[in-house]
Amino acid sequence: MGYELKNVTVTYEHRTALKNISCSIADGKWIAVIGKTGAGKSTFVQLLKGLVDFKGEYRLHNKLITLSGKGQPKDLQEIGYVFQYPEHQFFETSVYKELAFGLKQRGQSEKEIRASISAMLATIGLDETILTLAPFQLSGGQKRRVAIASILLMQPKLLILDEPTAGLDPISKSSILDLLKKWQLETNHTVLFVTHQMQDVAEYADEVIVLHEGEIKAHLTTNQLFLQQAHIVTNAGLKMPEQIQLLQVVEQLLGKKIAVANCKEHTIFNAVKPYLQFRGKINA
């Protein structure tokens, strides 16, 4: 396993944010982290990035990670962290300088930096004409893409996305999640995706970690959670994705289970559509 936690606890003053949690995060997966506000989601991913002190055992590729209080261990530099509003962290005067900053710190030549940035802009769907612009001149979606690109340029093996599409319109949101999913599949790297949007979990995640009151209540495949263990979601105070709610309603009306291959929206809609047509709920 790439990243393993064993009996880990995180405490802030007199409040315990994570309680004796244990889990393993495999390489090459898109893993959603869900839970109500205050469940411990952000603390969980900050722990993995080495941003909070903890008690317990944390292993990265079987190597024990220890926080010394002198900064983040170099081992954790392979973990990229995209904050909820990453564009708020822009500090350079042009998009080029913003993207080049981390590469310069790694000692890349100007030629290497330009080649890396050019390739990354193609990956995230931005034109090179934006490189001379100041970041604040960009649209909301463009800013978010540039912020994400600055992290991807560091070639993280684990990418943490803490509500990465907050504040974006639906089209921009889907576009960014699609490109990140494409990146994850092409690189076979790992994504930890913190979100409140159950639809996005169903569409993009391979696995789901459910947090509730600082404890891990489940770590299952997305299909297992939504199609077989739905009570875990509701017990954590969360709503099911809309397509799962539809499936449940139709199954109740029929009095039987409907076989579905996975929990993605189009799959479930196609599975229930004949029954809805039969009852005159939608047009044929």
Side-chain angles (χ1 to χ4, degrees), residues 186-259:
E186 289 178 347
T187 61
N188 196 37
H189 288 170
T190 306
V191 167
L192 270 186
F193 177 51
V194 179
T195 184
H196 287 91
Q197 302 299 318
M198 295 298 104
Q199 293 293 116
D200 296 337
V201 175
E203 291 300 317
Y204 294 95
D206 303 305
E207 299 176 2
V208 187
I209 292 173
V210 182
L211 281 163
H212 184 61
E213 297 181 348
E215 298 179 344
I216 293 179
K217 295 301 183 181
H219 183 181
L220 300 166
T221 69
T222 311
N223 291 332
Q224 286 174 331
L225 180 65
F226 289 142
L227 297 177
Q228 300 171 22
Q229 303 288 330
H231 67 278
I232 295 174
V233 179
T234 53
N235 288 346
L238 301 170
K239 291 184 178 181
M240 298 294 287
E242 291 180 1
Q243 65 266 30
I244 302 297
Q245 295 182 45
L246 173 63
L247 175 65
Q248 292 172 337
V249 168
V250 174
E251 287 179 337
Q252 289 174 359
L253 289 172
L254 295 174
K256 68 175 184 179
K257 286 286 186 180
I258 299 174

Side-chain angles (χ1 to χ4, degrees), residues 270-282:
N270 287 337
V272 303
K273 187 175 180 180
Y275 303 105
L276 294 177
Q277 288 176 329
F278 177 76
R279 290 178 171 270
K281 300 295 184 182
I282 62 174

Side-chain angles (χ1 to χ4, degrees), residues 95-96 99 117-118 120-133 138 142 145-146:
V95 172
Y96 178 80
L99 294 175
I117 289 176
S118 179
M120 181 53 64
L121 289 178
T123 297
I124 65 171
L126 290 176
D127 191 271
E128 293 191 30
T129 55
I130 71 165
L131 291 175
T132 59
L133 301 177
L138 305 178
Q142 288 175 324
R145 286 173 186 252
V146 169

